[in-house]
């Protein structure tokens, strides 16, 4: 239920910069949860070895 509410109200934040993701790509964090990363932070996420979802 929480994910359904967050989809409607847009509570997603970039995993790296914590701002609203613009053109997000999704990566898996340490707990294998799918998190958005904005296009500006994609290179940093790849250097940090996050796995692409």
């Amino acid at each position: 239920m929480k994910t359904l509410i967050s989809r409607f109200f847009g509570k997603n934040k970039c995993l790296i910069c914590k701002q609203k993701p613009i053109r997000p790509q999704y990566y898996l964090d340490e707990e294998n949860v799918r998190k958005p990363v904005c296009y500006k932070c994609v290179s940093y996420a790849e250097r940090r070895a996050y796995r692409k979802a």
Side-chain angles (χ1 to χ4, degrees):
M1 186 66 162
K2 184 177 180 181
T3 58
L4 182 63
I5 292 171
S6 67
R7 283 185 189 170
F8 286 124
F9 293 110
K11 294 184 181 178
N12 293 347
K13 292 189 175 183
C14 174
L15 181 64
I16 309 298
C17 66
K18 307 296 186 216
Q19 295 179 355
K20 185 175 179 181
I22 301 169
R23 294 191 319 228
Q25 294 184 9
Y26 292 91
Y27 286 84
L28 298 176
D29 65 355
E30 293 84 18
E31 292 94 30
N32 289 328
V33 178
R34 192 173 166 226
K35 299 283 185 169
V37 174
C38 62
Y39 76 96
K40 297 179 285 187
C41 300
V42 166
S43 63
Y44 184 74
E46 290 175 353
R47 280 184 280 158
R48 293 292 307 247
Y50 284 114
R51 293 182 312 237
K52 188 141 177 143

